[in-house]
Amino acid sequence: MGNRLSQFELTDKVALVTGASEGIGKDIALGLAGAGADIIVSSRREEKLKEVKSEIEGMGRKSDVFVMDVSRISDIEGLSDFVQNRFGKVDILINNAGFTVTKPAWDMTEEEWDRMVDISFKGLFFCCQIIGSIMKEQGYGKIINLSSTFSRSIIPGRSVYGGIKAGVSHLTEALAAEWAPDGVRVNALAPTAVLTPSRASLLQGEVLEKILSRIPLNRLATSEDLINASIYLSSPASDFVTGHTLFVDGGWIAAS
Ligand SMILES: NC(=O)c1ccc[n+]([C@@H]2O[C@H](COP(=O)([O-])OP(=O)(O)OC[C@H]3O[C@@H](n4cnc5c(N)ncnc54)[C@H](OP(=O)(O)O)[C@@H]3O)[C@@H](O)[C@H]2O)c1
């Protein structure tokens, strides 16, 4: 049976993480590097990405920065060329970049709708398609799409966000079925609330208490929780898993 842990190693793998400048994307990028992968980090803020690149290089892994707006398809095409020129392959894509507006559905504007859908759904699909086509050529690849507990449950103020995340999980199933013959595995990672910089002002007081009351394990998700799940979904250990949404939610969905 050999060393079981080797199944979880990412040595010599190349991973691309969108939205890697802060929050969950940054932590997953560092976590995958810790498991042995070389990492391309991308988002709009170059300075922040350079800091993440330095941290990854400090861990002895290769890293590179690609500045892009994920809502622009021409940027994703540029990313694809960059990855192939610099690394020659891509084994893992973490589709993490996202944008959220929290407000009552009655008040949502067209501009907010467009921005959320363009970044969190259109951008995610075209990253799957354009980066996934490199994986198709290779005959192997792992795509992990960031979904959410709100793909399967509701909370006031998150109607559009929940709709997008339900779409992300559904799209994940559809692409998994369509691309399995090409060796491309597509899964989703669905955390409950995580205390990232963009969520800090929201996850306080009564809102935080209400969220915690829905989590049987009675705490928020942490970076460690998400890194461990990402390593599993990125590694050969999960090669027979595709089309799955993995809830990392302390039992939220089970209890709803
Ligand atoms: N935090 C939570 O509680 C939670 C729970 C469940 C699921 N999620 C999901 O997990 C993912 C990350 O969440 P987070 O809380 O870490 O978010 P975040 O802190 O807001 O970070 C979002 C990331 O996306 C990047 N980004 C935003 N707009 C972009 C664009 N147009 N083009 C390229 N990159 C863009 C940002 O980088 P730049 O500003 O540098 O572009 C940033 O790195 C999202 O998909 C979110 O929906 C989060």
Side-chain angles (χ1 to χ4, degrees):
M1 294 285 278
N3 174 6
R4 302 306 312 163
L5 286 179
S6 67
Q7 289 290 300
F8 293 86
E9 270 175 25
L10 302 180
T11 311
D12 298 328
K13 304 280 186 196
V14 174
L16 164 55
V17 183
T18 70
S21 56
E22 69 177 23
I24 293 171
K26 174 183 175 182
D27 292 339
I28 290 179
L30 294 170
L32 298 187
D38 297 328
I39 317 281
I40 300 121
V41 287
S42 86
S43 78
R44 293 162 305 173
R45 285 175 293 168
E46 188 169 16
E47 281 316 305
K48 289 246 173 205
L49 292 172
K50 281 181 173 166
E51 287 168 22
V52 182
K53 168 179 151 74
S54 298
E55 271 194 67
I56 292 168
E57 287 170 343
M59 298 163 80
R61 306 309 321 165
K62 274 193 243 155
S63 183
D64 231 322
V65 163
F66 189 82
V67 178
M68 68 179 291
D69 182 333
V70 79
S71 65
R72 290 199 204 119
I73 292 171
S74 56
D75 283 15
I76 303 173
E77 286 166 345
L79 172 65
S80 168
D81 293 342
F82 179 84
V83 169
Q84 291 182 89
N85 291 337
R86 294 291 174 100
F87 289 84
K89 66 164 188 167
V90 60
D91 304 291
I92 300 154
L93 165 64
I94 310 286
N95 262 323
N96 166 81
F99 171 70
T100 315
V101 175
T102 303
K103 58 155 57 169
W106 295 120
D107 302 333
M108 197 66 73
T109 66
E110 182 181 5
E111 193 190 331
E112 288 163 341
W113 165 279
D114 284 347
R115 194 149 176 239
M116 287 173 76
V117 171
D118 282 356
I119 295 171
S120 307
F121 199 44
K122 183 181 108 177
L124 178 140
F125 171 75
F126 282 100
C127 281
C128 286
Q129 186 202 60
I130 293 167
I131 304 302
S133 71
I134 307 174
M135 296 174 171
K136 180 184 177 197
E137 288 294 307
Q138 296 165 177
Y140 182 85
K142 302 269 203 170
I143 298 177
I144 299 163
N145 296 324
L146 263 291
S147 181
S148 162
T149 40
F150 297 128
S151 65
R152 283 264 304 276
S153 66
I154 54 165
I155 196 168
R158 286 290 180 94
S159 56
V160 177
Y161 179 77
I164 290 169
K165 292 302 188 185
V168 166
S169 282
H170 190 86
L171 184 67
T172 296
E173 290 183 3
L175 297 180
E178 207 169 311
W179 294 350
D182 302 304
V184 181
R185 281 82 168 162
V186 192
N187 290 293
L189 183 62
T192 184
V194 191
L195 199 55
T196 55
S198 70
R199 303 295 202 271
S201 60
L202 207 72
L203 291 172
Q204 295 181 6
E206 231 177 84
V207 173
L208 178 60
E209 271 170 41
K210 270 195 191 150
I211 286 184
L212 286 174
S213 74
R214 293 174 75 173
I215 303 174
L217 287 176
N218 199 36
R219 67 165 174 81
L220 299 183
T222 65
S223 292
E224 284 300 304
D225 299 321
L226 302 184
I227 289 168
N228 292 338
S230 304
I231 290 172
Y232 169 65
L233 291 176
S234 299
S235 69
S238 63
D239 270 357
F240 199 56
V241 178
T242 195
H244 186 69
T245 291
L246 177 55
F247 287 95
V248 181
D249 67 352
W252 174 311
I253 291 300
S256 351

